[in-house]
């Protein structure tokens, strides 16, 4: 492992650190949206604890994977081929995680669109989670997928493990600070729930495409998410303005 002391005086290392932190924070948004939606279905007194455990597991996984960088690099090596297309362990993890995310998001969208058929399973506008442990188990599955993607991205950007560690810790700290405000915002704005589920559906589809060998530039994905979020914010402002106007009259 590189010593961190020489890196402190290396401008290139600082640039790599800042760039990697931004990348890790952006990649963490996907993880955070899933955790927020899932934990909002738990009893109120368990939500914050579940979020902290979920994000804590994400940190442990990322740091654990950083300790096996040589093994992580091998995950990108093809292990078998289908019709001339090579598939690595990373591809299989992304495909599996993408399928899980598509299934989960589709199920939640169905429950939100047609609540009459699921009244007995509804808690706060979505499908109820049977238990605290079930919620943590689902978070754990997606933590693994997002952690592998995150660390492979980090390995591709810098060879210095200390820089990766600092970037991961900072990014997960940001996730921890943003978790409760994001979850509360989603809970208080029902239309945001549907938008967030649509994001998860798109992210899941992208993971499957990446696993199948189709590179999807992340910039396009996040630009689409940002545009959709901006439109929804404008809708919220418009709705609030109409409510105030009705109240005044």
């Amino acid at each position: 492992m590189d010593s961190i002391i020489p890196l402190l005086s290396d401008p290139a290392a600082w640039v790599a650190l800042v760039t990697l932190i931004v990348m890790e924070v952006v990649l963490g948004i996907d993880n955070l949206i899933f955790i927020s939606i899932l934990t909002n279905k738990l009893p109120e007194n368990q939500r914050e604890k579940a979020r902290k455990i979920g994000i804590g597991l994400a940190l442990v996984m990322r740091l654990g994977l950083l300790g096996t960088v040589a093994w992580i690099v091998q995950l990108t090596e093809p292990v078998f081929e289908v019709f001339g297309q090579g598939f690595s362990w990373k591809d299989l993890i992304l495909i599996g995680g993408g399928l899980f995310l598509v299934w989960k998001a589709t199920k939640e969208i169905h429950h939100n669109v047609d609540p009459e058929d699921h009244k007995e399973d509804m808690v706060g506008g979505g499908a109820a989670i049977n238990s605290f442990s079930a919620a943590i188990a689902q978070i754990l599955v997606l933590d693994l997928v997002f952690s592998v993607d995150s660390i492979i991205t980090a390995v591709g950007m810098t060879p210095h493990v200390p820089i990766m560690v600092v970037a991961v810790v900072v990014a997960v700290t940001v996730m921890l600070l943003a978790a409760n405000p994001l979850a509360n915002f989603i809970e208080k704005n029902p239309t945001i729930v549907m938008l967030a589920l649509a994001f998860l559906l798109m992210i899941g589809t992208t993971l499957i495409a990446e696993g199948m060998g189709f590179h999807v530039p992340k910039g396009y994905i996040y630009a689409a998410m940002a545009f959709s979020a901006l439109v929804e914010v404008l809708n919220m402002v418009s709705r609030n303005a109409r409510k105030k106007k009705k109240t005044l009259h």
Side-chain angles (χ1 to χ4, degrees):
M1 183 179 291
D2 300 310
S3 171
I4 198 169
I5 303 301
L7 297 176
L8 294 176
S9 58
D10 184 359
W14 284 100
V15 171
L17 175 61
V18 172
T19 304
L20 191 53
I21 287 174
V22 173
M23 284 294 300
E24 291 294 328
V25 169
V26 171
L27 290 172
I29 292 173
D30 306 343
N31 209 166
L32 196 54
I33 290 174
F34 181 80
I35 290 174
S36 298
I37 290 178
L38 203 60
T39 54
N40 277 350
K41 302 182 193 321
L42 291 169
E44 193 168 349
N45 62 330
Q46 295 182 347
R47 294 175 186 175
E48 186 173 354
K49 180 181 178 183
R51 287 172 202 137
K52 288 181 178 178
I53 291 175
I55 295 171
L57 287 171
L59 176 60
V60 170
M61 281 190 177
R62 282 162 168 78
L63 293 179
L65 289 172
L66 278 175
T68 57
V69 169
W71 176 73
I72 286 294
V73 171
Q74 292 177 4
L75 287 180
T76 60
E77 297 294 326
V79 291
F80 65 89
E81 289 189 3
V82 177
F83 301 116
Q85 172 66 43
F87 289 89
S88 65
W89 284 111
K90 176 199 172 186
D91 295 330
L92 296 179
I93 291 171
L94 291 180
I95 291 171
L99 289 172
F100 175 77
L101 209 51
V102 168
W103 168 78
K104 188 66 182 175
T106 301
K107 182 180 177 182
E108 294 297 329
I109 288 172
H110 177 60
H111 285 180
N112 277 272
V113 171
D114 190 15
E116 290 300 317
D117 290 340
H118 308 280
K119 279 185 177 178
E120 68 279 5
D121 296 328
M122 299 295 286
V123 176
I129 298 296
N130 292 329
S131 68
F132 183 85
S133 58
I136 297 301
Q138 292 183 50
I139 290 172
L140 186 61
V141 171
L142 263 296
D143 275 349
L144 174 61
V145 176
F146 289 128
S147 293
V148 169
D149 195 27
S150 168
I151 297 307
I152 288 178
T153 298
V155 170
M157 291 184 66
T158 177
H160 304 297
V161 175
I163 290 178
M164 298 181 207
V165 171
V166 173
V168 165
V169 171
V170 171
V172 173
T173 301
V174 171
M175 286 173 61
L176 190 59
L177 294 174
N180 285 338
L182 178 63
N184 292 336
F185 181 72
I186 288 175
E187 184 183 21
K188 291 175 182 177
N189 298 275
T191 54
I192 293 293
V193 174
M194 190 60 70
L195 183 63
L197 288 171
F199 286 167
L200 292 180
L201 193 59
M202 180 171 64
I203 292 163
T205 304
T206 302
L207 290 177
I208 295 171
E210 292 275 358
M212 296 295 290
F214 299 98
H215 176 64
V216 182
K218 292 291 195 300
Y220 293 150
I221 301 299
Y222 292 117
M225 290 172 65
F227 178 76
S228 300
L230 177 60
V231 171
E232 183 55 34
V233 168
L234 293 174
N235 283 333
M236 290 170 61
V237 172
S238 177
R239 285 194 297 269
N240 290 334
R242 285 198 298 269
K243 286 179 182 179
K244 288 181 180 179
K245 189 174 180 180
K246 286 182 180 179
T247 303
L248 292 173
H249 286 80

